[in-house]
Amino acid sequence: MAAQFGRRLRKGAATTAVAAVAVAALSASQAPGVNDHGRQTAADATPSPEASASDGSATGNSPYYTDLPPLKSPNPSPSTGPGPGGTGATEAGIPATVLDAYKKAESALREKKPGCNLPWQLLAAIGRVESGQARGGRVDAEGTTLKPILGPQLDGNGFALIKDTDDGAYDGNSTYDSAVGPMQFIPSTWAWAGRDGNADGKKDPNNIYDAALAAGHYLCRNNWDLSDQDDLDRAILSYNQSREYLNLVMRWLEYYRKGTHEVPDGTGTLPGNRSDHGAGASPSPTTPGTTAPGSPTPGPDRPKPGKPGKPGGGTTTPKPPTTPPGTPSTPPPTTTPTPTDTVDHLEDAGTAKLTAMAGDTFGKRISTRAETEAGKAVAKVRVRFTIVGDTDTTFTGGESVATVVTNSSGVAVAPALQAGEKTGAVTVRATVVGRTVPGLDYKATVTERAADALARTGDTALTCVPGGEFASQVEVKATYQGAVADGVAATATLITSADNPAANDKGPYFKDADGKTVRTLTGLKTDAKGLLKLPKLYADDTTGTFLLRITTAGGATLTVELTVAAAETSSPSPSASPSA
């Protein structure tokens, strides 16, 4: 995002110095070892290639609350009560509905992406920094904020420049985007990251259950493991690419890990400072299309007071205009087009044929190039790849959407595709974020799982007496190009002869659930180790040699010989001859 949108307006030297002193004081006052690792990580952190090249930032690098955690324990003492302005126990508490949303999101991610190891305290830390826990928990019973929470419009004036991507649907602004909701998603990110966390059939960025679940999925993409400090840093930086932001979120994370408690909705404290020097809480609840509280009010220039004791002291009278009437006014300055503004179309950048078996990772990746009308490559443009249609194929990490920034050659390479279990055609659509140009569709094909070889796992002869039961069950192992072939469909048939694959009407047989004779088994599948163990075999009264043929998807075939023969009887010993 830094490359694409530019950094936020940097803080003044004085403010930075004050913030540094405050951070140092906090670090020195807290218990040894609690924040040492987080402080070192923040100081050394730089946006990783993964963070800056994949999804940009969830918030568009919008302003955030800069209040530091309290120095006291997050667990209130029995005598502690709310003081003036909502301080006291509520200072460390999290509003009940908001806390419930964080914990439910953690539970959902534990089931959906267990390798991510998302702690709910991380959501709480980001929620505190982004919106002061939904403005102190001002939400209704369903978790929707009582008023929309909007950040300032991202018009490039001290912030990132992000032109409208949602036609004002979420932020009420059809010119520029603003971060929306308690977790402060920009509309273009919410379009793919949004989730329905309260099962009401909607994805609402102003609902804390939806927003918390979306934030959890956002932080868990790219196969990040948040129990690993490096991945945790990458995830936080991908939310807002600022070292100060990483440092602050880490402090709140460690604070909440020491223990917290719930407070009634609407009683949480409101932070007092924000990263763009605004006093009070921002983002703040507004009606879409209105000016956020704390924003400068447009109006005429006010005259500057002169210095007392000198000529011109007091109020200065504005001078009359010196431009003669009729003189053309100076034209307004022109806006330099962004790289996104120059994109005319997308071109395939040499994507190979995309084919994979169900459950496998595609060996090739989609490459798209952004170009001007003249065919010149455009760097630093966000390209969104979306898997469309009824399919369970995803990108690596389980997401159906990925946003990638084009490199210096104008090329964006999508993450690897992970084939699902549904076979058939899959469509991946590439579009330019923030620019209305025709999308580019890529076709991928998921084939059924296959095996190219079958072999018995044992060599015991398979014999039985008429009307009896075979002592050993048939077990085979399937492989594909030497590797285990798991989940491969198979069929087993007791065939008439080597030249006639039709099912035999006599000889060995299987039994179905009702005990009836069956000589063809369908719907079989190899297990995770590529093994397939057939049910018990029985024999009728027919003796002889019979054939069992096993076939799999992909063409692997194995024919097993079965023998039904009467039991051998021992010959009686010769009688002694009578004596002469």
Side-chain angles (χ1 to χ4, degrees):
M1 288 291 295
Q4 180 185 357
F5 297 128
R7 294 282 188 185
R8 287 194 311 273
L9 188 64
R10 292 192 176 275
K11 299 177 181 179
T15 305
T16 304
V18 172
V21 171
V23 170
L26 177 66
S27 303
S29 64
Q30 293 180 331
V34 172
N35 278 328
D36 287 350
H37 185 67
R39 183 170 61 253
Q40 181 180 6
T41 300
D44 298 340
T46 55
S48 68
E50 293 91 339
S52 33
S54 61
D55 294 320
S57 100
T59 67
N61 294 338
S62 294
Y64 53 88
Y65 294 138
T66 57
D67 295 50
L68 295 170
L71 299 179
K72 58 188 176 183
S73 168
N75 289 312
S77 64
S79 60
T80 305
T87 58
T90 58
E91 187 175 13
I94 298 176
T97 299
V98 178
L99 181 59
D100 184 57
Y102 296 150
K103 291 184 176 180
K104 278 185 168 57
E106 178 197 58
S107 177
L109 267 298
R110 189 184 304 121
E111 179 181 349
K112 188 73 173 178
K113 297 182 179 179
C116 175
N117 296 305
L118 171 78
W120 67 260
Q121 292 91 341
L122 176 59
L123 297 176
I126 290 176
R128 170 72 188 197
V129 170
E130 292 295 347
S131 69
Q133 311 296 20
R135 295 282 296 173
R138 286 160 176 78
V139 297
D140 63 19
E142 285 70 43
T144 302
T145 56
L146 300 181
K147 293 183 180 180
I149 298 179
L150 301 177
Q153 67 177 16
L154 300 174
D155 57 5
N157 184 21
F159 312 112
L161 172 60
I162 306 181
K163 294 185 178 180
D164 175 65
T165 60
D166 65 331
D167 198 25
Y170 294 119
D171 54 18
N173 189 333
S174 58
T175 304
Y176 299 100
D177 273 348
S178 295
V180 182
M183 302 304 279
Q184 288 291 277
F185 280 97
I186 54 174
S188 60
T189 302
W190 183 260
W192 64 266
R195 293 292 191 279
D196 179 11
N198 61 351
D200 64 354
K202 298 182 294 183
K203 299 177 183 178
D204 181 3
N206 279 300
N207 180 279
I208 186 58
Y209 288 99
D210 294 0
L213 184 59
H217 276 278
Y218 185 90
L219 294 164
C220 285
R221 70 202 194 289
N222 298 333
N223 285 330
W224 284 331
D225 176 2
L226 302 185
S227 65
D228 177 82
Q229 188 64 44
D230 289 339
D231 279 358
L232 178 60
D233 291 351
R234 293 184 182 99
I236 296 172
L237 284 169
S238 79
Y239 213 89
N240 192 313
Q241 290 185 349
S242 160
R243 293 187 182 186
E244 292 86 353
Y245 183 87
L246 170 62
N247 182 56
L248 188 60
V249 169
M250 282 300 302
R251 292 190 182 285
W252 279 105
L253 171 59
E254 295 303 326
Y255 180 74
Y256 285 133
R257 276 175 168 164
K258 288 185 285 185
T260 187
H261 57 282
E262 70 176 43
V263 296
D265 289 345
T267 65
T269 57
L270 300 181
N273 300 284
R274 67 189 193 204
S275 60
D276 63 342
H277 311 303
S282 176
S284 53
T286 67
T287 301
T290 63
T291 303
S295 300
T297 303
D301 292 337
R302 299 183 182 276
K304 298 180 181 179
K307 294 183 180 180
K310 292 187 178 181
T315 302
T316 303
T317 303
K319 295 181 180 180
T322 57
T323 305
T327 302
S329 60
T330 303
T334 58
T335 302
T336 303
T338 65
T340 301
D341 294 331
T342 67
V343 177
D344 177 75
H345 59 274
L346 293 174
E347 287 285 345
D348 176 41
T351 302
K353 185 178 180 180
L354 300 167
T355 303
M357 283 197 301
D360 287 353
T361 300
F362 281 74
K364 306 295 182 181
R365 297 166 69 178
I366 295 171
S367 296
T368 299
R369 184 171 55 253
E371 296 183 354
T372 65
E373 186 176 6
K376 183 179 179 181
V378 185
K380 301 179 182 179
V381 172
R382 289 192 298 165
V383 175
R384 179 176 297 139
F385 297 95
T386 306
I387 301 172
V388 299
D390 182 19
T391 180
D392 56 353
T393 292
T394 64
F395 291 112
T396 303
E399 301 294 344
S400 60
V401 180
T403 305
V404 181
V405 179
T406 58
N407 60 20
S408 58
S409 299
V411 175
V413 180
L417 285 166
Q418 178 70 40
E421 294 303 320
K422 291 183 179 179
T423 59
V426 176
T427 299
V428 180
R429 182 165 299 151
T431 56
V432 178
V433 177
R435 179 78 170 161
T436 305
V437 297
L440 188 61
D441 284 356
Y442 292 85
K443 299 297 182 182
T445 302
V446 178
T447 62
E448 63 180 333
R449 294 172 182 255
D452 57 13
L454 281 173
R456 281 190 65 195
T457 58
D459 55 6
T460 303
L462 298 167
T463 61
C464 183
V465 298
E469 176 183 312
F470 284 81
S472 300
Q473 291 176 248
V474 177
E475 184 181 67
V476 298
K477 182 174 183 178
T479 56
Y480 183 79
Q481 296 180 358
V484 167
D486 62 314
V488 177
T491 299
T493 303
L494 291 151
I495 60 176
T496 302
S497 68
D499 299 325
N500 186 356
N504 208 336
D505 58 358
K506 57 187 176 181
Y509 62 90
F510 299 105
K511 290 182 180 180
D512 65 11
D514 298 323
K516 295 180 180 179
T517 298
V518 175
R519 289 191 168 91
T520 298
L521 297 177
T522 60
L524 304 173
K525 278 192 175 182
T526 60
D527 65 13
K529 296 180 180 180
L531 299 176
L532 174 63
K533 191 171 187 177
L534 298 182
K536 287 184 177 181
L537 277 164
Y538 303 87
D540 60 14
D541 293 334
T542 309
T543 60
T545 299
F546 301 89
L547 300 178
L548 169 66
R549 180 163 292 171
I550 305 168
T551 59
T552 68
T557 301
L558 177 67
T559 302
V560 180
E561 190 174 280
L562 308 172
T563 302
V564 179
E568 293 183 4
T569 57
S570 56
S571 301
S573 58
S575 301
S577 58
S579 57

